[in-house]
Amino acid sequence: MAALTLQFPEVIDAIFKGWTALQLAVAHSFGGTHSKAKAEWFVEATEQWMKENSDVDAYELEDFLAEIMSAEFNTVVDDNSLVEVATKICKIYRLICQGEYEQVNNIVSTLQKSAPVTSSQKQQVDSDEDDDDDDMDVANDNVTNHMNALELNRTANESSPSASGHTNSDQSNGTSQSNDNSQSNEEDGWINVTKGGKPKR
């Protein structure tokens, strides 16, 4: 009985940490702000329920787990994970009762080495954030290149004879030339920027 007390909570905890439905419910706080504490209590509640009920079948434990998931985590588990989790717990419980402690230790060790669901989620989130940063860098580079092109276009317009005439006739010709340049730039898809004015497309 002492071995049962020491090993069984570890078994349940290891199985629960690999249970996708439960770990997602905890990660997204489906059970409220105390979802993590509820998950820890869930281990204790399952252990206590198994000890209080003799000759438990997997389907009976499945019903108990489904009830807790619904009541405490607002989650309806409609996949086969309930059956798998309940079957594992019942199998290991029987091994402990039969004194197969070494076999149980090996099973627990294997379960604990498995990567928790939450770790996989965190890696995916970090990967998505890196992708977003890369997209933002590309967007910033595109904006910088576009602004440089606009500046070159503005400098070319200001340095041309049409932009700095010395007589009224030259100014008139300059205005006409500037309009022609503006139309040409618009046709080429550039934005014409003139000093003291707003960009015109």
Side-chain angles (χ1 to χ4, degrees):
M1 183 62 66
L4 175 61
T5 302
L6 292 174
Q7 286 186 304
F8 198 45
E10 295 180 6
V11 170
I12 299 173
D13 183 63
I15 293 175
F16 278 5
K17 285 182 178 177
W19 186 9
T20 302
L22 175 58
Q23 293 306 315
L24 287 177
V26 173
H28 294 284
S29 299
F30 291 167
T33 56
H34 301 293
S35 293
K36 186 175 181 180
K38 286 184 177 181
E40 295 174 355
W41 164 84
F42 198 3
V43 173
E44 298 175 2
T46 303
E47 177 194 10
Q48 187 65 29
W49 187 86
M50 289 290 293
K51 290 179 178 179
E52 292 177 352
N53 296 273
S54 59
D55 297 327
V56 175
D57 290 324
Y59 74 89
E60 295 175 310
L61 178 58
E62 179 184 347
D63 291 340
F64 171 78
L65 298 176
E67 181 180 351
I68 297 297
M69 288 294 291
S70 176
E72 300 296 337
F73 296 97
N74 298 313
T75 300
V76 176
V77 184
D78 55 3
D79 57 11
N80 293 326
S81 63
L82 277 171
V83 178
E84 295 175 1
V85 170
T87 301
K88 285 181 180 179
I89 293 176
C90 288
K91 177 182 178 180
I92 299 176
Y93 181 80
R94 293 190 179 96
L95 288 174
I96 294 175
C97 292
Q98 294 169 3
E100 301 292 342
Y101 306 130
E102 184 176 353
Q103 185 176 351
V104 171
N105 287 333
N106 292 335
I107 295 175
V108 172
S109 178
T110 301
L111 290 171
Q112 290 176 340
K113 289 179 181 178
S114 301
V117 175
T118 50
S119 296
S120 299
Q121 286 181 318
K122 186 178 185 302
Q123 291 173 2
Q124 181 63 38
V125 169
D126 291 342
S127 176
D128 292 341
E129 290 177 351
D130 291 341
D131 291 341
D132 291 341
D133 291 340
D134 292 340
D135 292 340
M136 183 62 69
D137 291 339
V138 172
N140 289 336
D141 290 341
N142 289 338
V143 171
T144 300
N145 292 336
H146 187 58
M147 293 301 296
N148 289 338
L150 292 178
E151 181 63 23
L152 289 174
N153 187 42
R154 183 182 70 83
T155 303
N157 286 336
E158 288 183 347
S159 61
S160 65
S162 61
S164 58
H166 299 286
T167 65
N168 291 335
S169 175
D170 291 340
Q171 290 176 352
S172 176
N173 292 335
T175 301
S176 175
Q177 182 67 27
S178 177
N179 290 335
D180 291 341
N181 289 338
S182 176
Q183 293 176 355
S184 175
N185 290 331
E186 291 175 1
E187 292 175 356
D188 292 339
W190 292 91
I191 297 177
N192 187 33
V193 181
T194 58
K195 188 175 183 179
K198 295 182 178 180
K200 299 180 181 178
R201 296 195 71 87

